[in-house]
Amino acid sequence: MNILILGGGGREHALVWAVKQNPKCDRLIVAPGNAGIADLAECATLDIENSAAVVGFAEANAIDFVIIGPEAPLVAGVSDELRAAGFLVFGPSRAAAALEGSKNFTKQICDAANAPTAAYAHFTQAEAAKDYIRTQGAPIVVKADGLAAGKGVIVAFDEATALNAVDEMFHGTFGSAGAEVVIEEFLDGEEASFFILCDGSDLLPIGTAQDHKRVGTGDTGPNTGGMGAYSPAPVLTDAVAKKALDEIIAPTMAEMTRRGMPYHGVLYAGLMIKDGQPKLVEYNARFGDPECQVLMMRLGAQALDLMQATAQGRLSQEQVNWAEDHALTVVMAANGYPGAYEKGTVITGLDALPKDSIQMCFHAGTTLGQGGIEANGGRVLNVTGRGDSLQEARDRAYALIDQIDWPEGFYRPDIGWKAL
Ligand code: AMP
Ligand code: GLY
């Protein structure tokens, strides 16, 4: 099978690593890829948000299966055009990706599906939004409706912060994403991510994880795309996972199908769990990054079979072969991230690292430059370990980090602290 993977982050390196282990995989092309992916697959230059360009590329390279990593091509409708051209695709349609692309849409679906989530109101005018905040009081959560690269959510612990967030959104801080605003009840509890494959009629859970959104040790400082993750998430016990499936995910999927926009792909449910009761915080229409890295580390080669079965609508025949294992990934980021950071700094020690089924350094923002591997983004490496216990997985990841020399990078020393 000739496979094309769209994307070039740590998530895609992990997907490539898993897919490549499956004997079904013949040719593997990744666009745009990165320096780590280039060790395992061909990297191609392609505008992955341009549907016509992606279809043309897939035709020219006799691609049998396309796996879409990030949200931008999904929201741009790349999967629709690929399917219309006859390609097998892993990734939801543009209409179904609105579960990630519009917070208000997701809230309406939850209402119709009777899925537990935070109470909310939706606004297109700043004054009405501010009046609502004044009546509700803090804590309260202000969200830009559209995609805002993970930065469009303000959890406000006082009224002034919430009012200010509304002003910023309507003044265009998040571009068109902020032209509509959702204001939500603050949910208290422990957050975890649940990943479910959906083929339009059947569901198959493929793992749980916990992310570390804040940049600093002890969950302090500004939000990031994620500084580390581990799987499984102890808070998502079998009982909580079953509740989430029965009360939130299955009714959402049924409502999507009822509306004529069946969901095909991986659904990422961000949940808040309190006293054993899960509530939906958000959906994403893709794998999490860095959550995908720990999921792929645990799933290995079967990930390709599962994604293919999802795309072909035969999930009912599939099951996940679980090991009683744990995986943990630590993100190494460029000094300054999530603010301004330098590009082009040189990383050494990567070639000598062991690369196997229990330890792997996935690349996110890297490129091959004159000095060797160079940092080319904010989040740069995802150093990942697997083990029989979370502690063992964690020890493996941090032991790899000790062998990496990158003076201009940093990482959180406490990934997994909540679970350990
Ligand atoms: P989102 O982009 O919707 O995932 O929001 C980003 C983060 O903001 C989430 O991962 C939560 O940590 C936090 N958050 C979002 N909505 C709420 C809420 N209603 N109550 C508490 N925290 C929230
Ligand atoms: N790590 C959070 C996300 O992928 O959205």
Side-chain angles (χ1 to χ4, degrees):
M1 187 163 41
N2 294 337
I3 301 173
L4 171 64
I5 298 184
L6 302 185
R11 167 180 48 214
E12 287 77 23
H13 191 186
L15 288 169
V16 164
W17 176 83
V19 162
K20 181 82 184 184
Q21 291 171 44
N22 192 306
K24 274 189 203 159
C25 174
D26 297 315
R27 191 163 171 216
L28 181 56
I29 311 181
V30 187
N34 62 36
I37 291 173
D39 274 348
L40 298 171
E42 298 168 49
C43 292
T45 307
L46 175 63
D47 178 357
I48 64 169
E49 291 174 43
N50 178 335
S51 303
V54 175
V55 169
F57 183 88
E59 281 168 349
N61 289 281
I63 296 296
D64 301 300
F65 186 30
V66 184
I67 299 170
I68 302 181
E71 62 276 23
L74 296 171
V75 173
V78 170
S79 62
D80 304 72
E81 296 294 322
L82 281 165
R83 281 197 188 96
F87 289 99
L88 189 65
V89 186
F90 181 80
S93 65
R94 185 207 324 243
L99 282 179
E100 170 159 7
S102 166
K103 310 241 183 235
N104 187 42
F105 175 80
T106 297
K107 287 302 209 180
Q108 288 172 1
I109 295 282
C110 285
D111 282 349
N114 213 3
T117 184
Y120 79 105
H122 169 246
F123 297 96
T124 53
Q125 302 285 337
E127 269 324 304
K130 284 157 82 172
D131 286 344
Y132 180 76
I133 289 169
R134 290 189 193 100
T135 45
Q136 297 294 314
I140 195 157
V141 183
V142 181
K143 301 186 172 184
D145 180 68
L147 287 182
K151 299 186 183 84
V153 174
I154 311 292
V155 180
F157 290 97
D158 58 75
E159 217 173 279
T161 305
L163 296 173
N164 187 44
V166 167
D167 279 332
E168 289 205 348
M169 285 182 192
F170 282 106
H171 283 135
T173 306
F174 301 103
S176 60
E180 296 181 32
V181 163
V182 167
I183 300 185
E184 261 187 25
E185 166 200 7
F186 172 77
L187 296 177
D188 191 22
E190 188 169 348
E191 225 177 326
S193 309
F194 193 14
F195 296 87
I196 306 100
L197 295 178
C198 311
D199 69 0
S201 52
D202 287 290
L203 304 178
L204 184 66
I206 51 160
T208 64
Q210 269 174 307
D211 192 8
H212 297 64
K213 286 191 199 286
R214 302 299 188 109
V215 74
T217 306
D219 293 338
T220 54
N223 266 332
T224 68
M227 292 301 292
Y230 52 86
S231 172
V235 64
L236 256 168
T237 59
D238 288 350
V240 175
K242 182 171 186 318
K243 251 180 183 286
L245 275 178
D246 293 349
E247 296 176 11
I248 302 174
I249 289 122
T252 300
M253 292 296 100
E255 178 62 18
M256 294 294 284
T257 302
R258 200 186 64 75
R259 293 189 182 204
M261 42 178 88
Y263 190 97
H264 300 265
V266 62
L267 183 69
Y268 160 167
L271 303 172
M272 191 71 83
I273 298 137
K274 193 177 181 204
D275 302 329
Q277 176 64 49
K279 287 191 179 178
L280 183 77
V281 175
E282 61 158 351
Y283 282 127
N284 291 308
R286 52 173 174 83
F287 282 111
D289 187 345
E291 294 93 324
C292 185
Q293 288 78 317
V294 284
L295 293 178
M296 290 305 130
M297 199 79 193
R298 297 185 62 211
L299 290 170
Q302 66 182 318
L304 175 59
D305 303 320
L306 296 170
M307 289 190 282
Q308 195 190 2
T310 304
Q312 292 171 331
R314 42 175 193 80
L315 267 182
S316 62
Q317 301 158 24
E318 292 290 324
Q319 58 177 44
V320 182
N321 294 313
W322 287 114
E324 290 295 318
D325 60 350
H326 298 256
L328 182 143
T329 190
V330 182
V331 171
M332 294 184 81
N335 286 341
Y337 175 81
Y341 52 81
E342 205 184 331
K343 285 189 182 178
T345 57
V346 176
I347 308 166
T348 55
L350 296 175
D351 283 345
L353 292 183
K355 299 178 176 70
D356 54 39
S357 64
I358 55 168
Q359 49 205 337
M360 185 66 203
C361 175
F362 296 115
H363 289 219
T366 65
T367 181
L368 190 58
Q370 306 221 311
I373 303 285
E374 295 177 359
N376 188 38
R379 294 190 296 167
V380 174
L381 298 170
N382 308 142
V383 190
T384 311
R386 182 168 155 242
D388 293 334
S389 65
L390 186 59
Q391 186 66 51
E392 193 179 37
R394 183 179 196 270
D395 291 345
R396 287 210 167 105
Y398 282 104
L400 289 184
I401 286 190
D402 288 342
Q403 300 172 59
I404 297 172
D405 189 23
W406 181 30
E408 295 84 5
F410 75 99
Y411 58 90
R412 273 183 61 166
D414 64 339
I415 300 304
W417 68 276
K418 249 187 217 157
L420 292 166

